[in-house]
Amino acid sequence: MIFAHQFKIECRRHLAVFATLTAVSGLANLYFLFSSSQDMAFLILMVNMVIGILIPVYIYMDYYREFFQGTMPLNHMLPVRTSTLFAVKSVVFLLGAAAVWAAALPEVFANPDGLYQMRIAGSASPALGVLYLVLSKLCSLPAGLALMGLALAAGKRLRKPLFSHLCIAALLLLVVGLQFAFIIKGSWHWGIGSSSNEAYKQYANLLSVSLASPSPAADINETIQWQSVGMNLLVMGLAGSGAALLFNSRKYEL
């Protein structure tokens, strides 16, 4: 019962933000779906990029206030583990971020010049392509949330604020940097936060990476990288377990 109550509280807290971003993302992508004009293409591209930055920043700041600064001590006085509070909050963020991303899917699938019509529909297995398109994104979200939790939990263990923040930044940059280096290894060209019809977008945690080649693959399924999905699942498991252990220590329990 207490989990459901806390879930409802978190939903009410963040509903306005994610609903607004979902609406903006949906309207921006519907423009491409129903308009052949490219006059607003750059502006709408910027809107999508800004949304892609705002979401992780918003999530991180909420985690930071809750689990690092402790600005909501009543939550920590509930008869549940801090790791459980983190998990409940993460589920809400996962659903919110997935909703914002889903608002862009009508343009992907219904636009004649979109990714599905241009590349996936003509691939060896459209179903496999759609599966990868969805799984690669959905596996990146919990990996990013788990890493944020681990970084904040580890930083909280240090007494000096400077060292704490350095620890947080180092963990985030190290893990995402290693994943990013793995994804772009051997690539001819890459872009951050952009998309392309040449290949499937890859994810280093919450960081989206588009790869390009001087000779695009004839079948887009050839650009599938299940290793990157497995890497995000590995980060999710390890970072989530580490965060849970640290969150349940006396440092966090009042």
Side-chain angles (χ1 to χ4, degrees):
M1 181 65 69
I2 192 171
F3 303 135
H5 178 69
Q6 194 65 24
F7 177 78
K8 292 178 182 178
I9 291 176
E10 291 297 332
C11 286
R12 286 196 294 267
R13 286 187 59 211
H14 306 293
L15 177 61
V17 172
F18 283 105
T20 300
L21 293 178
T22 300
V24 172
S25 176
L27 290 173
N29 286 280
L30 283 176
Y31 173 85
F32 279 121
L33 179 58
F34 294 109
S35 175
S36 59
S37 173
Q38 296 297 311
D39 295 339
M40 300 288 289
F42 178 74
L43 177 60
I44 294 176
L45 176 63
M46 290 300 297
V47 168
N48 287 329
M49 292 179 67
V50 169
I51 290 176
I53 295 173
L54 281 179
I55 289 177
V57 169
Y58 175 80
I59 293 174
Y60 175 81
M61 291 307 300
D62 189 84
Y63 279 154
Y64 182 83
R65 288 190 294 266
E66 176 86 29
F67 300 106
F68 192 84
Q69 293 181 322
T71 55
M72 296 185 67
L74 288 178
N75 281 351
H76 296 276
M77 297 177 71
L78 296 172
V80 295
R81 292 177 177 271
T82 304
S83 60
T84 302
L85 291 175
F86 177 78
V88 171
K89 187 181 288 287
S90 297
V91 170
V92 174
F93 286 144
L94 178 62
L95 293 175
V100 177
W101 174 71
L105 292 182
E107 192 275 333
V108 172
F109 287 102
N111 191 336
D113 298 322
L115 179 63
Y116 183 83
Q117 300 292 341
M118 294 292 292
R119 298 300 306 275
I120 298 178
S123 65
S125 176
L128 178 65
V130 173
L131 176 66
Y132 182 77
L133 178 72
V134 174
L135 278 183
S136 61
K137 178 65 177 183
L138 293 186
C139 289
S140 74
L141 295 175
L145 302 181
L147 180 59
M148 289 183 192
L150 175 63
L152 289 169
K156 186 74 171 179
R157 305 285 294 184
L158 304 176
R159 294 183 178 181
K160 296 290 185 179
L162 176 61
F163 294 152
S164 293
H165 288 88
L166 286 175
C167 176
I168 293 171
L171 267 174
L172 292 173
L173 292 175
L174 177 63
V175 176
V176 176
L178 288 174
Q179 290 185 259
F180 175 73
F182 175 83
I183 287 174
I184 68 169
K185 183 179 180 180
S187 64
W188 175 73
H189 179 69
W190 49 267
I192 296 177
S194 60
S195 59
S196 169
N197 283 342
E198 294 185 0
Y200 284 110
K201 185 182 293 185
Q202 304 298 321
Y203 297 94
N205 229 272
L206 292 176
L207 184 68
S208 63
V209 185
S210 295
L211 304 178
S213 170
S215 54
D219 189 332
I220 193 172
N221 284 1
E222 296 176 10
T223 70
I224 288 177
Q225 293 190 27
W226 288 112
Q227 304 95 317
S228 64
V229 176
M231 184 170 51
N232 279 323
L233 290 175
L234 179 63
V235 170
M236 178 187 67
L238 294 179
S241 299
L245 289 174
L246 293 176
F247 277 139
N248 293 334
S249 67
R250 289 185 178 181
K251 190 75 175 178
Y252 295 90
E253 303 297 349
L254 300 179

